[in-house]
Amino acid sequence: MRKHFLLIYHYAPDYIERRAEFRPMHLALATKASDAGDLILGGALTDPFDTGLLLFHSIDKSTAEAFAQADPYVTNGLVERYEVRHWITVAGPLAAEPV
């Protein structure tokens, strides 16, 4: 059974200044994951720009972890650290474990 996992990025202080160089590669990776049905949504939190959230739909957290390990934002230090958390979604039309 596929579940929801949040990939949470904690950006480096210079993320905004450095992201332009790596953004096309990051977005290509995200598009590939989305086309495969693994990535549902992704984006940054603002005010401040310090965190990114990517919602994955997969069997286990390895899909989100593999994405992070291949992501140019991570490999080039724009992301200081990341974590993958299982999100038990119970309400709404896309809930993985509806009540």
Side-chain angles (χ1 to χ4, degrees):
M1 178 170 92
R2 290 168 59 111
K3 305 173 189 173
H4 285 136
F5 294 89
L6 284 174
L7 173 58
I8 305 164
Y9 280 171
H10 301 277
Y11 295 137
D14 62 352
Y15 163 77
I16 291 293
E17 294 79 19
R18 296 184 55 220
R19 77 175 175 167
E21 177 182 356
F22 304 103
R23 195 162 194 230
M25 294 176 285
H26 166 76
L27 292 176
L29 184 66
T31 298
K32 182 178 176 184
S34 178
D35 289 348
D38 296 327
L39 178 62
I40 306 303
L41 291 170
L45 300 179
T46 64
D47 299 323
F49 268 107
D50 63 350
T51 305
L53 297 174
L54 296 98
L55 174 60
F56 285 84
H57 190 228
S58 60
I59 303 272
D60 59 37
K61 68 181 186 174
S62 66
T63 301
E65 289 173 341
F67 179 94
Q69 292 167 1
D71 190 347
Y73 282 4
V74 173
T75 60
N76 290 285
L78 280 74
V79 173
E80 289 185 322
R81 66 183 176 86
Y82 67 86
E83 58 187 304
V84 177
R85 303 278 309 268
H86 176 212
W87 184 21
I88 300 173
T89 53
V90 298
L94 298 178
E97 303 172 50
V99 177

